[in-house]
């Protein structure tokens, strides 16, 4: 199937470097993987101050995240990517829209009846300045923000069967210099195989798909990715089964869990390193 590719350029983003973290600007790009339990939320910050939020956790986590962004002086999100509409990914999105300026929202194009999605749509209706793009089946989006390149791909199919909503997850590749981050949402077996077919998944940093749970494609996917650093979004109440983490460690990856707090990773364009473990 021929894929449709569209490009959006964020030209001359006026950096609002209000986060009291000037040191990281000299070091490069910063990605914070938040501890929101078995839920996803990660904030990308470029050296010039552009910010991309991938998922916003649950409703409760969204309130906490909004409060944290306010405490850190964040007033604008340049792009919020909602990978899919499960409550542990979209639940807090309305709280983010209500608390900070969000320039654009990117999300998949499928229907779901849920309170969390209704709340997001209400928040978007109350934010007319926010540009919303729903990614149709089989499309890609390319973005460049302050020297960081993002490639986002949508699911290939319109129906994955009952209880397979996770396979609608958007997948985001983030490239900064020679370093690469991969955010595959909750991709399960079918979607992981699609992502493998979409191109090289080798990366330095991986947000483990589907909360670190094992599916049919996990061995092939994780081996192809072979990251140096991986983050698993799990909790003490809902832990992963350990097989994905074990394979990643066999591949030489340093595996981190949300059960131990936030993870901050810095890229200088050539190397990545863990900068902080917030508890």
């Amino acid at each position: 199937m021929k894929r449709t590719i569209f490009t959006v350029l964020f030209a001359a983003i006026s950096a609002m470097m209000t986060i009291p973290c000037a040191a990281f600007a000299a070091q490069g790009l910063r990605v914070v993987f938040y501890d929101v339990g078995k839920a996803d939320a990660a904030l990308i910050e470029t050296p010039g101050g552009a910010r991309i939020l991938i998922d916003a956790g649950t409703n409760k986590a969204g309130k906490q995240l909004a409060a944290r962004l306010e405490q850190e002086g964040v007033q604008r999100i340049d792009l919020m990517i909602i990978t899919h509409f499960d409550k542990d990914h979209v639940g807090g999105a309305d709280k983010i829209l209500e608390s900070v300026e969000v320039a654009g929202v990117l999300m998949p194009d499928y229907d779901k009846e849920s309170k969390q999605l209704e709340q997001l749509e209400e928040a978007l209706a109350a934010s007319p300045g926010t540009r919303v793009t729903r990614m149709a089946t089989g499309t890609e989006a390319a973005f460049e923000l302050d020297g960081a390149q993002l490639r986002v791909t949508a699911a290939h199919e319109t129906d994955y069967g009952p209880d397979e909503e996770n396979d609608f997850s958007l997948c985001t590749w983030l490239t900064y210099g020679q370093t690469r981050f991969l955010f595959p949402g909750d991709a399960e077996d079918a979607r992981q195989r699609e992502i493998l077919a979409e191109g090289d998944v080798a990366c330095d940093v991986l947000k483990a798909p589907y909360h670190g749970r094992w599916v049919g494609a996990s061995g092939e996917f994780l081996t192809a990715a072979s990251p140096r650093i991986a983050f698993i979004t799990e909790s003490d109440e809902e832990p992963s089964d350990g097989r994905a983490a074990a394979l990643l460690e066999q591949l030489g990856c340093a595996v981190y869990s949300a059960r131990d707090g936030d993870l901050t990773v810095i890229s200088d364009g050539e190397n990545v390193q863990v900068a902080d473990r917030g508890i």
Side-chain angles (χ1 to χ4, degrees):
M1 177 179 64
K2 184 177 180 180
R3 301 179 64 78
T4 301
I5 300 177
F6 60 94
T7 303
V8 179
L9 296 178
F10 285 74
I13 294 174
S14 58
M16 298 169 144
M17 279 301 295
T18 50
I19 289 184
C21 207
F24 93 82
Q27 298 178 55
L29 177 137
R30 184 174 83 148
V31 178
V32 182
F33 297 92
Y34 291 108
D35 167 19
V36 287
K38 194 198 75 64
D40 281 21
L43 182 66
I44 301 163
E45 297 174 327
T46 69
R51 298 182 179 93
I52 305 103
L53 181 67
I54 301 180
D55 286 327
T58 60
N59 184 275
K60 179 179 178 181
K63 294 178 182 178
Q64 297 170 342
L65 182 55
R68 178 166 175 176
L69 295 176
E70 180 181 5
Q71 181 181 14
E72 294 178 341
V74 176
Q75 300 176 1
R76 173 185 169 95
I77 300 293
D78 296 284
L79 178 66
M80 179 162 64
I81 300 172
I82 302 298
T83 61
H84 63 299
F85 301 140
D86 273 358
K87 63 182 181 181
D88 54 338
H89 294 254
V90 72
D94 60 317
K95 301 299 183 292
I96 301 301
L97 283 158
E98 292 165 2
S99 62
V100 300
E101 176 189 356
V102 179
V105 174
L106 192 65
M107 55 189 184
D109 189 16
Y110 71 95
D111 295 323
K112 177 176 182 174
E113 293 185 6
S114 77
K115 177 181 178 181
Q116 292 78 20
L117 182 55
E118 288 178 5
Q119 290 172 332
L120 170 59
E121 291 173 339
E122 290 171 0
L124 287 170
S127 305
T130 301
R131 177 177 179 176
V132 181
T133 301
R134 278 184 172 259
M135 291 188 63
T137 303
T139 61
E140 298 185 0
F143 301 87
E144 182 172 357
L145 293 98
D146 192 27
Q149 288 80 42
L150 284 87
R151 174 186 172 220
V152 185
T153 65
H156 295 196
E157 306 294 336
T158 57
D159 185 2
Y160 290 93
D163 302 320
E164 295 298 334
E165 180 190 344
N166 287 333
D167 283 326
F168 287 115
S169 291
L170 301 182
C171 180
T172 301
W173 283 260
L174 167 66
T175 303
Y176 181 70
Q178 299 174 25
T179 63
R180 204 180 201 197
F181 296 70
L182 182 60
F183 305 83
D186 271 0
E188 293 192 51
D189 186 59
R191 184 70 179 117
Q192 287 187 32
R193 295 186 189 283
E194 289 178 357
I195 295 168
L196 283 165
E198 287 170 359
D200 183 13
V201 300
C203 59
D204 297 284
V205 182
L206 174 69
K207 198 291 297 183
Y210 192 30
H211 309 288
R213 294 173 178 170
W214 191 267
V215 297
S218 291
E220 182 182 358
F221 187 91
L222 297 175
T223 300
S226 291
R228 293 177 53 195
I229 297 169
F231 187 71
I232 297 178
T233 55
E234 60 182 345
S235 66
D236 290 336
E237 295 75 20
E238 298 180 273
S240 62
D241 66 14
R243 284 182 288 174
L247 175 58
L248 286 166
E249 289 174 348
Q250 289 174 17
L251 294 168
C253 175
V255 180
Y256 297 87
S257 168
R259 299 165 75 178
D260 299 318
D262 297 347
L263 176 71
T264 300
V265 179
I266 296 286
S267 167
D268 63 5
E270 296 183 0
N271 299 289
V272 294
Q273 62 179 354
V274 171
D276 184 41
R277 284 296 343 239
I279 304 300

